[in-house]
Amino acid sequence: MTKHHAISSLLQSTTMPPLRSFLLLFTLITLSIVPAHSQQRNYNHDGGLWGEVKRCADTIATPVEKVAHERYDKLSDRGKFVAGAAFGFGASRFAVCSTVNTVKTVGAAYIAFEALEYAGILKEARSTKEGDAIMAKTRDYLLRTADGIRCDIRTNLNPNAVKEKIDRNMKRDKPGTTGFGTGAFLGFVL
């Protein structure tokens, strides 16, 4: 049994609710985006944790995406609209929730590090050569991760790129794209 058939049979035997399936597919596709700028420059922005997450997600998303496209292409226009609306709603809810959780996490981390600094624990860590080396490696790793996220956001949320993507998808699949926009609007509003 090939990997494609195994994943296809797994997807057919799953009793996962449709909205959760769409959210899973959205997450996998979103994390597997390869930015166009990484081929344009000599510097690779996919370092740190972000690069590892994208490489891991790409190996998972590729076979799932093939099966999803095969099933989606068989739908009627009404089915594509409904699938797009459900996917857009789930994607917008996922974006809102993940953004709120990210802000909460960053705020909590800031407070925790301020408490560690106030207690003198971070000063102790910086007072040794080993501590300096660990702090420098940690800082570089976090900066590479933040740089990868920043570049992907800049590339994928560029207004011209978004407009081109919408235009291209409207020509290719008008019902699904319209449904996605409708679902995303409702997800942001509700």
Side-chain angles (χ1 to χ4, degrees):
M1 182 182 273
T2 66
K3 189 188 321 181
H4 177 70
H5 291 342
I7 291 172
S8 177
S9 65
L10 175 70
L11 287 175
Q12 290 173 350
S13 66
T14 322
T15 59
M16 190 180 293
L19 182 60
R20 192 172 286 171
S21 300
F22 282 117
L23 286 174
L24 174 66
L25 182 62
F26 171 75
T27 304
L28 292 173
I29 291 171
T30 302
L31 293 176
S32 68
I33 295 172
V34 178
H37 67 274
S38 62
Q39 289 96 20
Q40 295 172 354
R41 299 184 186 140
N42 291 332
Y43 181 74
N44 183 5
H45 292 279
D46 289 338
L49 179 63
W50 186 245
E52 291 300 318
V53 167
K54 285 172 52 176
R55 280 187 282 284
C56 178
D58 189 40
T59 59
I60 296 168
T62 303
V64 172
E65 191 176 352
K66 285 181 185 176
V67 173
H69 277 294
E70 288 173 4
R71 289 187 178 179
Y72 179 80
D73 290 338
K74 294 177 184 175
L75 293 174
S76 66
D77 284 349
R78 183 177 290 170
K80 288 180 181 183
F81 179 84
V82 170
F87 193 72
F89 182 82
S92 65
R93 298 306 308 155
F94 177 78
V96 168
C97 291
S98 62
T99 302
V100 168
N101 287 335
T102 300
V103 170
K104 287 179 181 178
T105 303
V106 168
Y110 176 77
I111 292 169
F113 280 111
E114 284 296 317
L116 291 173
E117 179 69 29
Y118 184 74
I121 296 172
L122 291 179
K123 289 178 186 173
E124 290 177 20
R126 288 190 296 253
S127 65
T128 65
K129 291 219 182 253
E130 291 175 3
D132 283 343
I134 290 172
M135 294 293 275
K137 286 181 182 178
T138 303
R139 182 196 70 226
D140 291 344
Y141 187 77
L142 290 173
L143 288 175
R144 284 193 310 271
T145 300
D147 184 51
I149 293 171
R150 178 191 64 82
C151 288
D152 281 354
I153 288 172
R154 178 179 278 177
T155 301
N156 294 312
L157 295 181
N158 177 352
N160 292 333
V162 171
K163 183 183 179 325
E164 288 174 11
K165 193 178 290 188
I166 290 172
D167 290 343
R168 185 175 57 246
N169 286 333
M170 281 299 273
K171 287 179 185 171
R172 188 185 63 174
D173 180 23
K174 193 171 188 171
T177 306
T178 306
F180 182 84
T182 304
F185 175 76
L186 291 174
F188 285 126
V189 170
L190 300 178

